């Protein structure tokens, strides 16, 4: 018998429904609050900004399974189902009795899991008669996904890209333009929010908070236009559950069930995607799988933040969100894992964390790159700096298993590849990268300013 | 019934043998000649430079099937079998009755088909007790493949990278370094050949010919060291036949057989890989499939070159090779499809061309990028500039089918993705790219200088 390296699902086993864990949660997440009235947000409150289908998904607490439209499935088939891979090479290098599996989301044409939600969001916008969409992007992974998804469904997309990334990551900008998107460096002169900042500080390098404000403003002031977002929100996590639903079937093909499931953590969407389908068996079938989020030590909202109502953006335009947060004014260090530089966690994950249904671990930048290089050399794929955090956490689990001399089945999500992030590897290999340590004071500073609503 | 987008082979259907078309060719390729004695080259003549297993494959004219070592198959399983994909999106955009399929070699962790041969070459070097290997790389696709393959089999690799690429394509350099290779800009001070050139011309930007000379010199002067090459040679084409062998089974799954098979053309390895397994049915079973190589209009050896003995490198160190050539001193324009900038075609393909068993078409740079962008927007994958030539040729075939109102089943090889080549797309989208026209005089210039051995 040949050793199986990859577990591949046939195309017709692409999930037909997304899994909405909220319906099964013993304690539902607390509601988002309107920033003015402090009243719980209803779907209707979100309609001006998001397509109706997405706003309805955002607040759905009753349906555990939500149909994936056939048009979305057709587009997902460009790269899905994605492979589940047994990391024999990594296991051998670690000399561990653990079995390490990873779900390979890097095979998406945009190079990451982000396309899973981008295609769904573009579809629901199109279906609602929307012609134009806006979004923001930091490192560029979400923007590239939304660029292809918009083209696939015939929408015009404008992306506000954080200025420093726009200049430092020209490949991501070119990718978005190749797929037909308008890309604007943020802050820009195209919005009031942008003009105000440029007037006050012409050399401002931009931030995700500013880019969100610009994208929202453009969406609100353009006819037939909606705003889209790549993480944090419930409907984004929902769309990402195709990852875990496929992995569940594939682990069955491998004849194993994970003892621990790991995802890197920015706003929570890829972690939710790989975890929630397995977590339902903890909730409903008494399974004891551990779920570990791997966040950067320089942005440790789950390991060192507080559970509190806070804004989703720096400027405070969004609803108040019940979440683990470092405070919406927290400015994370400029680590290369740009997709993990976010001050808060989504509401669902925050509630699960509060209820002890998952764990969090933090990873130093240098440890993430060390893990990334070992993975590249043993499994071939150069991981995205974000995904390297999940690999580092998986390696830690495998080394504990080795120390204990016990078998452990580890599953992590390889959320994307790093082929467009080679500057980061270059700096790591040259010894030019460092870690960023946070003192208790650094962490307390922005948290103390928060209004105590909980 | 769901429309099938991808045709996926199970892992155990990865071919167990390579297909050596030479054994089945009605006219065998003429022998390579020793540059000094003008005697036909024998396997033993190649042993000093290449691992024995590879040298033996190079001259094998009798065995149609050659066993793929199990260790090579294990490593190939990291990304193989690769998907065969029906390009519904492209078909729709062209409004053509043609059915377009592509073999997606871009899913390899190095981003191209080059890894198919790199793994085999590294294995045979390792098996022969070799500890160190050398190679050269122009655009960087082959160098990255050889970097991972060397790491996978525990070899030390030194890559001479053409200086202008070394400076303009830092991502490819970083990739090689991440996989553990030594990368040196060529010309370098580490070889006599390099020192001579630098002394004469300190600002020389390098060429593939110089890099080959340096890699050969280092291999010959280092104990336990062999040289490796990514195209042109027979054993490289042999290793690439896994592409066509898989595609044959996958076309069967799709219930179709190709009327035309297309590959872009540099030295010939990816074209051979997709074509030869289907061509055997033309030779043996009376099939009438057409085989079309797509070369750049700026380097048109098959469409406008001559069949003649010529050197494989600029300096004239290699054996004399019977091939279609533009002359070994032909300096192709600096098009972005760096992998297609080679003056000659391999001996097998040259013989097949001479015997009318295949066709050649040439594609302008702007047409290749126009095709590449259309493909990216309809199928999601941004193609390598090289692969975009195959896409352009496939589009031409599909448009002829449309004009004729006939069905035509088209299969092309997507040899790689362009995520590390976004500078090229950037220039195309900005309108900064041009075509390069060649006059009859440009073409005659280097051909006239060739010694007429045929």
């Amino acid at each position: 018998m040949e050793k199986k390296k990859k577990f591949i699902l046939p195309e017709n086993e692409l999930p037909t429904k997304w899994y909405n864990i909220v319906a099964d949660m013993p304690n539902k997440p607390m509601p988002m609050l309107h920033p003015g009235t402090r009243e719980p947000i209803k779907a209707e409150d979100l309609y001006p900004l998001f397509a109706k289908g997405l706003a309805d998904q955002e607040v759905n607490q009753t349906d555990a399974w939500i149909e994936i439209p056939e048009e979305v499935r057709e587009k997902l088939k460009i790269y899905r189902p994605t492979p589940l891979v047994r990391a024999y090479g990594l296991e051998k290098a670690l000399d561990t009795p653990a079995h390490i599996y990873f779900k390979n989301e890097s095979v998406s044409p945009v190079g990451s899991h982000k396309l899973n939600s981008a295609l769904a969001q573009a579809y629901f916008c199109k279906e609602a008669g929307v012609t134009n969409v806006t979004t923001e992007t930091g490192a560029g992974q979400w923007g590239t996904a939304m660029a292809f998804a918009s083209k696939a469904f015939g929408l015009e997309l404008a992306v506000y890209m954080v200025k420093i990334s726009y200049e430092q990551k020209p490949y991501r900008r070119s990718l978005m333009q190749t797929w037909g998107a308008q890309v604007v460096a943020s802050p820009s002169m195209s919005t009031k929010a942008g003009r105000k900042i440029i007037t006050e500080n012409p050399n401002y390098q931009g931030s995700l908070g500013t880019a969100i404000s610009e994208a929202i403003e453009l969406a609100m002031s353009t006819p037939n236009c909606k705003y889209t977002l790549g993480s944090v929100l419930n409907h984004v996590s929902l769309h990402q559950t195709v990852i875990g639903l496929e992995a569940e079937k594939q682990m069955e093909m491998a004849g194993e069930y994970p003892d621990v499931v790991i995802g890197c953590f920015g706003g929570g969407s890829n972690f939710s995607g790989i975890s929630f389908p397995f977590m339902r068996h903890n909730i409903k079938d008494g399974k004891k799988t551990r779920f570990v989020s791997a966040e950067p030590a320089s942005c440790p909202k789950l390991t060192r933040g507080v559970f509190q109502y806070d804004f989703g953006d720096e400027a405070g335009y969004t609803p108040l969100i019940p979440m683990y947060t470092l405070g919406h004014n927290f400015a994370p260090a400029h680590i290369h894992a740009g997709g993990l530089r976010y001050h808060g966690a989504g509401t669902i994950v925050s509630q699960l964390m509060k209820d002890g249904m998952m764990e969090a671990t933090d990873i130093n930048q240098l440890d993430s790159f060390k893990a990334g290089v070992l993975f590249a050399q043993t499994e071939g794929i150069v991981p995205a700096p974000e995904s390297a955090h999940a690999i580092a956490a998986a390696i830690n689990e495998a080394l504990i298993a080795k120390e204990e001399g016990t078998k452990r089945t580890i599953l992590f999500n390889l959320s994307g590849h790093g082929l467009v992030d080679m500057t980061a590897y270059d700096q790591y290999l040259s010894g030019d990268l460092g870690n960023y340590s946070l003192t208790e004071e650094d962490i307390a500073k922005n948290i103390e300013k928060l209004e105590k609503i909980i």
Side-chain angles (χ1 to χ4, degrees), chain A:
Chain A
M1 253 286 279
E2 292 192 2
K3 268 204 307 190
K4 253 195 159 174
K5 174 77 181 157
K6 298 187 301 307
F7 300 87
I8 310 277
L9 284 176
E11 211 169 76
N12 59 11
E13 296 232 32
L14 179 69
T16 54
K17 295 184 169 71
W18 289 302
Y19 173 58
N20 178 21
I21 197 173
V22 182
D24 290 335
M25 283 168 71
N27 301 317
K28 309 291 181 209
M30 292 157 63
M32 292 195 282
L33 303 181
H34 189 284
T37 65
R38 303 294 163 100
E39 290 295 314
I41 291 275
K42 290 188 286 294
E44 301 87 88
D45 299 322
L46 300 172
Y47 290 168
L49 203 54
F50 298 108
K52 181 172 179 304
L54 301 169
D56 292 345
Q57 290 168 7
E58 185 62 26
V59 300
N60 188 326
Q61 300 204 328
T62 49
D63 302 317
W65 298 98
I66 294 175
E67 195 85 17
I68 306 178
E70 201 42 44
E71 291 89 334
V72 175
R73 290 184 77 240
E74 283 305 318
K75 299 295 179 192
L76 287 171
K77 283 185 197 165
I78 288 176
Y79 60 102
R80 303 206 75 86
T82 63
L84 177 80
V85 187
R86 174 83 181 266
Y88 288 115
L90 181 61
E91 287 173 19
K92 193 175 161 199
L94 298 173
D95 187 23
T96 173
H99 291 190
I100 308 177
Y101 293 85
F102 64 93
K103 181 70 170 158
N104 185 3
E105 293 292 303
S106 81
V107 299
S108 132
V110 306
S112 82
H113 72 293
K114 291 288 187 191
L115 194 51
N116 299 331
S117 184
L119 288 169
Q121 292 190 44
Y123 166 80
F124 283 106
C125 287
K126 184 69 179 180
E127 196 221 10
V130 167
T131 55
N132 292 58
V133 283
T134 74
T135 200
E136 73 288 320
T137 198
Q141 294 270 23
W142 170 248
T144 51
M146 202 56 212
F148 172 59
S150 300
K151 178 56 73 178
F153 285 103
L155 301 169
E156 292 294 326
L157 172 68
V159 184
Y160 287 94
M161 185 174 188
V162 174
K163 193 175 177 184
I164 190 164
S165 293
Y166 184 93
E167 281 159 9
Q168 289 182 349
K169 293 177 183 274
Y171 277 31
R172 292 253 187 240
R173 173 179 52 70
S174 307
L175 277 168
M176 290 185 257
Q177 290 168 335
T178 299
W179 281 309
Q182 288 273 355
V183 189
V184 184
S186 168
S188 78
M189 294 299 281
S190 65
T191 64
K192 275 187 236 167
R195 283 194 294 276
K196 180 163 181 292
I197 290 169
I198 291 178
T199 311
E200 286 166 6
N201 182 354
N203 295 319
Y204 185 58
Q205 290 299 292
S207 74
L208 211 48
T210 305
I212 293 178
S213 306
E214 290 205 273
I216 290 179
E217 187 184 323
L218 184 67
M220 299 297 279
S221 58
T222 305
N224 263 331
C225 185
K226 298 290 173 191
Y227 166 71
T228 61
L229 186 74
S231 190
V232 184
L233 295 173
N234 299 348
H235 67 272
V236 185
S237 292
L238 177 75
H239 304 152
Q240 295 295 352
T241 56
V242 291
I243 302 172
L245 291 168
E246 288 177 7
E248 202 188 325
K249 293 185 190 173
Q250 290 165 311
M251 288 299 299
E252 212 175 297
M253 290 167 76
E256 304 212 55
Y257 194 88
D259 297 311
V260 54
V261 174
I262 299 168
C264 64
F265 200 94
S269 80
N270 100 85
F271 171 80
S272 303
I274 188 83
S275 297
F276 290 176
F278 289 99
M279 204 181 279
R280 87 177 190 278
H281 297 300
N282 278 24
I283 298 175
K284 300 170 82 86
D285 311 321
K287 290 274 187 192
K288 302 280 184 209
T289 299
R290 293 166 51 227
F291 299 91
V292 178
S293 69
E295 58 185 10
S298 56
C299 194
K301 57 233 165 202
L302 289 173
T303 49
R304 301 173 75 186
V306 291
F307 184 78
Q308 177 61 267
Y309 267 102
D310 194 7
F311 292 105
D313 67 329
E314 217 181 312
Y317 294 163
T318 70
L320 282 158
I321 306 173
M323 61 181 177
Y324 277 89
T325 180
L326 295 162
H328 61 278
N329 292 128
F330 180 80
H334 281 283
I335 57 168
H336 282 284
L340 307 186
R341 297 178 64 248
Y342 187 71
H343 67 279
T347 63
I348 301 174
V349 168
S350 292
Q351 187 66 44
L352 293 169
M353 185 75 192
K354 191 157 164 276
D355 291 343
M357 296 174 70
M358 55 172 281
E359 308 165 28
T361 185
D362 61 341
I363 305 287
N364 276 314
Q365 174 157 266
L366 290 178
D367 291 336
S368 74
F369 277 98
K370 190 178 166 198
V373 169
L374 180 63
F375 186 76
Q377 296 191 347
T378 53
E379 295 294 328
I381 305 165
V382 177
E386 290 84 357
S387 315
H389 288 70
I391 298 169
I395 290 174
N396 290 344
E397 293 286 336
L399 292 178
I400 293 171
K402 181 181 177 178
E403 219 174 271
E404 295 177 347
T406 55
K407 201 201 135 211
R408 185 177 297 207
T409 302
I410 301 166
L411 166 64
F412 73 87
N413 191 37
L414 184 75
S415 57
H417 66 61
L419 296 180
V420 192
D421 301 290
M422 291 313 297
T423 315
Y425 280 90
D426 218 20
Q427 290 183 12
Y428 171 70
L429 293 171
S430 325
D432 289 347
L433 279 194
N435 286 324
Y436 297 92
S437 61
L438 284 170
T439 64
E440 293 309 314
E441 279 159 4
D442 293 330
I443 290 178
K445 201 170 57 181
N446 296 292
I447 292 176
E448 278 165 7
K449 282 188 261 173
L450 297 178
E451 187 188 352
K452 299 291 177 293
I453 299 183
I454 293 171

